[in-house]
């Protein structure tokens, strides 16, 4: 409610003075809403998925456009459950990339035209996957070599921000990569005639990096590691075009930080660790010209290790997956648990659709499950892999 208060916001510039303010939950929500993307997000469900959902929910066997046979009894319904046909112009797997090793992380570019893939063999691949592209193609695939701390890293986390790509993993470092793509050719340095992905800075002594997240429309990056920390850093470009990093906050935790995620509007930061503690922080500018302050907003304890955190696109829900064999749905207006969706295995990966109408989970079940948010997160189908 509007009368409830958020804990005071404290900031320690250079480790000394504190600045404190108090905001209502209503004000916090309004700040987030004001910064949400001002775009129309429509949900486009592939036709074959629609037919699969229909077949599974009604027991109807589909056999071409406009031709269906309703099962006559429960035995037939059980027999035909989930059966459907793919039309000649449709495929379930539209593209498949053989990476030669385990793929640990994937991340879309902010405009949705490119996909970054990271593998066990230290390679970073960039795929041109725009809606206008009839065929997705790998436009960059290169080995991330030794870093300035004389280590290499198997990439376990990727975050693609407005200006930079951040990657991290086993190498006790986060590499900051500056992408130059055909759509932004005017920004290319002289002498570069095609797309490039250069490492422009390396943040060292980060420990094993488990998670990365950029704040919306900024160069502020959250880093979750196995040193029981969440580091919040700002990546800056100097007058000489060099790139360097300043640490804004170091959030100490009791266990490994496996998940970090800024809200879609960038005013909140969610942190999940191996102890099962989910913490949400308010992240706003208190004094003009000063970096954003970090203030505890809510703590919720899960039953086991947290592996992934995702915000709904409108920030009304926070989704948590982990080793407690369930997906936890949290309402952000009152920070209450709205739903716990039981699963047979751990839930290491979650992804809401761009319009927020659907939620997908995947991981060790060898399948991807699709949930309908408007039907109280009912599982409408699963796709075996």
């Amino acid at each position: 409610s509007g009368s409830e208060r958020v804990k005071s916001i404290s900031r320690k510039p250079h480790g000394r003075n504190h600045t404190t303010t108090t905001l209502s939950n209503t004000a916090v929500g309004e700040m987030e809403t004001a910064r949400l993307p001002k775009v129309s997000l429509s949900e486009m469900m592939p036709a074959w998925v629609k037919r699969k959902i229909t077949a599974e929910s009604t027991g109807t066997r589909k056999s071409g456009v406009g031709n269906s046979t309703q099962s006559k009894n429960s035995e037939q319904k059980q027999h035909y459950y989930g059966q459907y046909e793919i039309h000649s112009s449709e495929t379930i797997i539209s593209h498949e990339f053989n990476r030669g090793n385990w793929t640990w992380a994937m991340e879309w570019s902010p405009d949705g035209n490119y996909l970054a893939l990271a593998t066990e063999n230290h390679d970073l691949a960039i795929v041109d996957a725009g809606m206008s592209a009839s065929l997705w193609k790998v436009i960059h695939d290169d080995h991330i070599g030794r870093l300035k701390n004389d280590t290499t890293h198997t990439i376990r986390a990727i975050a693609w921000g407005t200006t930079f790509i951040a990657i991290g993993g086993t190498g006790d470092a986060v590499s900051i990569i500056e992408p130059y793509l055909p759509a932004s050719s005017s920004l290319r340095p002289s002498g570069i005639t095609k797309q490039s992905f250069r490492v422009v800075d390396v943040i060292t002594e980060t420990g094993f990096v488990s998670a990365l997240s950029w704040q919306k429309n900024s160069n502020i990056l959250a880093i979750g590691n196995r040193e029981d920390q969440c580091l919040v850093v700002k990546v800056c470009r100097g007058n000489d075009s060099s790139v360097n990093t300043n640490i804004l906050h170091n959030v100490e935790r009791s266990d490994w930080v496996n998940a970090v995620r800024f809200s879609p509007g960038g005013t909140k930061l969610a942190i999940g660790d191996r102890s099962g503690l989910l913490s949400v922080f308010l992240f706003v500018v208190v004094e003009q010209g000063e970096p954003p302050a970090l203030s505890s907003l809510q703590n919720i304890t899960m039953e086991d290790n947290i592996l992934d955190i995702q915000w709904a696109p409108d920030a009304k829900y926070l989704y948590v997956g982990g080793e407690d064999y369930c997906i936890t749905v949290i309402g952000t207006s009152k920070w209450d648990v709205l739903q716990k969706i039981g699963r047979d295995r751990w839930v290491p990966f979650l992804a809401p659709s761009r319009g927020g109408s659907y939620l997908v989970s995947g991981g060790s079940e060898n399948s991807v499950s699709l949930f309908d948010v408007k039907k109280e997160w009912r599982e409408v189908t699963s796709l075996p892999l």
Side-chain angles (χ1 to χ4, degrees):
S1 66
S3 62
E4 293 177 328
R5 295 288 172 181
V6 177
K7 291 183 180 179
S8 296
I9 299 176
S10 297
R11 180 175 41 78
K12 298 180 180 180
H14 308 294
R16 291 192 290 274
N17 304 321
H18 289 70
T19 300
T20 303
T21 188
T22 304
L23 298 171
S24 69
N25 281 350
T26 301
V28 171
E30 289 174 349
M31 283 190 295
E32 177 69 24
T33 301
R35 296 191 61 183
L36 290 175
K38 305 297 184 182
V39 294
S40 175
L41 297 176
S42 60
E43 303 286 27
M44 299 176 62
M45 181 73 73
W48 66 267
V49 177
K50 291 181 181 178
R51 292 202 308 277
K52 184 176 189 296
I53 292 172
T54 300
E56 292 174 344
S57 62
T58 66
T60 300
R61 185 176 185 178
K62 298 287 185 179
S63 55
V65 177
N67 183 12
S68 64
T69 303
Q70 182 70 34
S71 58
K72 296 181 180 180
N73 53 48
S74 59
E75 183 178 349
Q76 284 182 308
K77 183 174 181 179
Q78 180 68 25
H79 177 71
Y80 288 128
Y81 177 83
Q83 293 191 21
Y84 60 96
E85 291 186 4
I86 300 298
H87 294 177
S88 60
S89 62
E90 299 172 331
T91 57
I92 293 180
I93 299 177
S94 60
H95 297 83
E96 186 170 340
F97 298 94
N98 187 349
R99 303 296 302 134
N101 215 313
W102 293 353
T103 298
W104 285 109
M106 297 184 294
E107 176 84 348
W108 288 97
S109 62
D111 61 8
N113 289 326
Y114 299 92
L115 180 65
L117 307 172
T119 50
E120 178 75 15
N121 55 9
H122 303 238
D123 280 11
L124 174 68
I126 306 295
V127 179
D128 184 348
M131 291 294 291
S132 60
S134 58
L135 181 66
W136 291 12
K137 60 181 180 180
V138 177
I139 60 172
H140 173 84
D141 193 357
D142 200 6
H143 187 79
I144 302 298
R146 288 194 172 274
L147 309 175
K148 66 183 181 183
N149 62 347
D150 200 33
T151 65
T152 61
H153 51 202
T154 296
I155 305 168
R156 300 298 179 91
I158 309 175
W160 197 323
T162 305
T163 308
F164 303 106
I165 300 172
I167 60 173
T170 61
D172 191 28
V174 171
S175 295
I176 304 299
I177 296 171
E178 189 165 26
Y180 292 98
L181 297 160
S184 58
S185 58
S186 61
L187 301 177
R188 281 191 209 131
S190 60
I192 297 181
T193 58
K194 62 179 182 178
Q195 66 271 353
S196 69
F197 298 84
R198 298 183 303 132
V199 176
V200 292
D201 191 34
V202 178
I203 307 169
T204 58
E205 299 181 1
T206 61
F208 185 116
V209 176
S210 310
L212 296 164
S213 179
W214 290 101
Q215 186 193 33
K216 177 196 171 188
N217 295 335
S218 82
N219 290 332
I220 293 176
L221 177 69
I223 304 170
N225 64 31
R226 292 189 180 179
E227 302 295 319
D228 307 344
Q229 298 170 328
C230 173
L231 303 175
V232 181
V233 304
K234 184 173 184 179
V235 181
C236 308
R237 188 184 299 279
N239 294 331
D240 59 353
S241 296
S242 63
V243 176
N244 55 77
T245 304
N246 299 321
I247 296 179
L248 304 180
H249 302 280
N250 182 351
V251 183
E252 297 287 344
R253 308 288 285 180
S254 64
D255 214 325
W256 294 354
V257 175
N258 293 326
V260 295
R261 191 76 57 184
F262 277 108
S263 61
T267 64
K268 301 181 185 72
L269 173 63
I271 302 173
D273 61 37
R274 192 170 63 165
S275 73
L277 179 62
L278 169 69
S279 298
V280 182
F281 293 85
L282 187 63
F283 192 71
V284 295
V285 174
V286 176
E287 291 184 1
Q288 197 64 31
E290 295 290 342
L294 199 63
S295 171
S296 178
L297 188 61
Q298 190 71 30
N299 288 308
I300 302 173
T301 302
M302 302 293 118
E303 295 181 5
D304 212 323
N305 183 9
I306 295 173
L307 298 176
D308 195 17
I309 300 170
Q310 294 287 340
W311 294 84
D314 58 6
K316 290 182 179 179
Y317 308 112
L318 187 59
Y319 301 116
V320 184
E323 295 182 8
D324 55 358
Y325 293 82
C326 72
I327 301 167
T328 302
V329 181
I330 298 170
T332 59
S333 60
K334 298 180 180 179
W335 299 107
D336 52 345
V337 175
L338 303 178
Q339 192 93 308
K340 278 186 173 287
I341 307 168
R343 313 303 294 156
D344 294 332
R345 304 285 182 89
W346 294 351
V347 183
F349 301 108
L350 294 167
S353 59
R354 287 205 165 197
S357 297
Y358 299 96
L359 176 69
V360 169
S361 74
S364 55
E365 292 181 305
N366 297 325
S367 65
V368 173
S369 296
L370 180 68
F371 303 89
D372 191 332
V373 173
K374 296 179 181 178
K375 295 180 179 179
E376 297 183 339
W377 296 278
R378 180 171 65 86
E379 183 176 357
V380 291
T381 193
S382 63
L383 309 176
L385 299 176

